[in-house]
Amino acid sequence: MTTNLPKLSRQEEPRPDFTKKTATRLDSKSKTTVSFRTEPASRSLPEESSPSLGSMRYFVEAIVVLALAVSVFRTFIVEGFMISTGSMAPRIRGYHYRVTCPDCQFNFAHTATEITPGNDPQSNPEGHHLTCPNCHYDRILLSGQTINEGDQILVDKQAYEWRSPERWDAIVFRNPQRPTQAYAKRIIGLPGETLQIRDGDIYIDGELQRKGLMAQRQMRILVSDSRFQPQLQDDNWRSPWIIAPDASDANWKFQKAGFDFNPDVTPQTSENTSQQWLSYRNWVRSGGFHRYRVPLKVWPIDLPLPSENTVLRYDSNEKELSCRGALPADIVEKLTVMTVDLEFHQALKTLFEQSHLRPISDWEAYNEQTGLVPETVSDLMVRMEVSAASPQSQIRLRLNDGWYDFQCRFDFSKRIAELSLHGQKKILRVGDLPDLPFEEMIEIEMSVMDRQVLVALNGEVLFEPYAYRAEKEVRDTVVEPIHIHCQDGPVSISRLQVFRDIAYRKSSDDLDISESSPQYPIRPEEYFVLGDNSIVSIDSRYWPKGSVKPSLIIGRPIVLHLPSRKQTIEIGSLKSQIRVPDFERVRMLR
């Protein structure tokens, strides 16, 4: 769209003739002499500053204005901070090594702030090994890896101008002991409350605190991702996803990042006959402290008895075969060849399987390994992307937390989701499924955390979370906590992910999370904060006064805007490392 503006007009006046000879006019009052030149005069232009000086002045003014704007912006609205420690790892990292597993290609981080001269990987390159948190490959050398700077986050300094901080909010604040230092932690206790840590959970005034979907997403820690499958697949590795009870069932087929289910349909019933479950088990390749035992009536007569210093032991009194930690596959293979005792073969195979299956624990690949024994974590979440090729397809998803075995059935023909206990008919919760286009991927999330069952589809909670109480004090040990069953139609499942909840410890040297912590009374107008990486975090558990005053709170982190990694560049014979952004990790921090 254009606008016709009126033209500005100017009345023409006769111009003086500057070619005439000089004339003198004598004014009787002013006696001013006016002279005219007899030659044409060249047009005189007003003086202007040189282009270079004008550009320089414009540039300086722009820099000054920009600096003032940035200063105001940082002072009152948003400010950037660099994280130096791993107290909020692995979600927000301090100085760290960025490691890629050579077997499954999974990327993970390992702390660089806890490295001491005694465990420096550069001074002892063969003695510092890491274990992949996804496939548990344990021969990853840290030597030669470069140290990356801590994550940079943007902090909303106006976040609490109009509302008070809430539980589970991540905040940046001034250290109560050293106000010049800025820390990032998570608000756990609110003013006037009494806080206690039990079994890794948070209790306020005696009541268990439960997290919603958004808080669970922010705090969950990845345990397994089906997109990253090992390529080496040595004798000590087994897939964490198995088809049970019959692994030869042709209905399930493993794909690159997940599984496809194609049912067998009989002409009489038009229903599939498969009763197989796709089950998850936490399989580790090596290590461990626990002693595993299986019954064995007698030691083979054609084998010498093992000595006390060997991995394998036999107790003739208890009639037990045992090992400490994961039994190596090469020992199983060697002993199997040396004897023809079939009962011993079966006991050895059973012991091998049992010693490699572990409950999910609070072990964290980010931290330096210490003598602290990992504690079992039974609060889990499963996330999967599903495509149902038929409107008759059904999916059943089960999670077992050691107290109850919950099951959610997704019936796409009736467009309902039903929560119940596995093997029981009583329906605990019912939710409506939205109108979903078939053969398009949908996201299903189910969690059993904080004694609460939560189910979501495409980020929307399907029904009110089901909270429950434990009927017994001690949970059962569960090594296969997740099961998936499909029926009545083809289903494609991709990107199967297993997460665990944060298990808070009373202290960094806490040997048993089942023991309750002291009670922490929180003073009015103060907040109790904890780090997500509970084992290494220095937080309200250790400070003399513990709580954080509102005046020390800077704001709430909103964007992980500049995570980085080191990259080597070569120009001729010159080699250097530069810091480049890690765009895969740039995200909002809600």
Side-chain angles (χ1 to χ4, degrees), residues 294-296 298-300 302-303 306 312-314 321 331-332 334-351:
V294 296
L296 180 64
V298 62
W299 183 263
D302 52 353
L303 276 181
L312 202 64
R313 290 185 184 180
Y314 178 68
L321 183 66
I331 294 180
V332 175
K334 180 180 178 181
L335 293 177
T336 302
V337 173
M338 293 175 63
T339 181
V340 294
D341 191 325
L342 298 181
E343 184 179 351
F344 178 75
H345 289 178
Q346 184 60 42
L348 205 60
K349 179 181 178 181
T350 303
L351 185 60

Side-chain angles (χ1 to χ4, degrees), residues 226 257-259 383-386 441 492-497:
S226 65
F259 294 86
R383 177 192 176 275
M384 58 186 184
E385 295 178 359
V386 177
M441 284 294 178
S492 177
I493 302 176
S494 64
R495 197 176 181 182
L496 273 163
Q497 293 177 303

Side-chain angles (χ1 to χ4, degrees), residues 379 392 410-411 502:
D379 289 3
Q392 305 301 320
F410 301 87
D411 190 331
I502 295 173

Side-chain angles (χ1 to χ4, degrees), residues 160-191:
Y160 300 118
E161 288 295 323
W162 310 109
R163 72 172 181 89
S164 299
E166 299 176 355
R167 199 181 327 276
W168 316 122
D169 280 358
I171 62 169
V172 174
F173 62 96
R174 304 291 179 188
N175 182 355
Q177 309 302 315
R178 297 181 181 178
T180 57
Q181 295 180 344
Y183 282 179
K185 308 288 181 186
R186 192 176 299 277
I187 290 180
I188 304 298
L190 303 179

Side-chain angles (χ1 to χ4, degrees), residues 3 41 85 108 125 215 224 283 314 344 363 380 447 467 507-508 542 563 568:
T3 304
T85 67
F108 65 98
S224 176
W283 181 277
Y314 178 68
F344 178 75
W363 171 79
L380 306 177
S447 68
S507 63
S508 59
Y542 302 98
T568 302

Side-chain angles (χ1 to χ4, degrees), residues 388-452:
S390 168
Q392 305 301 320
S393 300
Q394 294 188 38
I395 300 174
R396 283 188 285 171
L397 179 57
R398 287 169 49 196
L399 261 71
N400 190 335
D401 69 343
W403 279 316
Y404 297 102
D405 189 356
F406 291 99
Q407 171 182 283
C408 187
R409 184 175 69 92
F410 301 87
D411 190 331
F412 295 102
S413 61
K414 297 180 180 179
R415 293 174 57 183
I416 60 172
E418 296 178 335
L419 179 68
S420 63
L421 289 174
H422 177 61
Q424 297 187 14
K425 295 182 179 181
K426 181 180 178 180
I427 305 300
L428 305 175
R429 290 284 191 273
V430 178
D432 295 327
L433 295 179
D435 188 11
L436 300 170
F438 291 100
E439 299 185 354
E440 290 189 12
M441 284 294 178
I442 60 174
E443 178 191 39
I444 295 178
E445 294 169 292
M446 180 176 177
S447 68
V448 180
M449 293 183 178
D450 310 317
R451 299 183 195 173
Q452 171 186 265

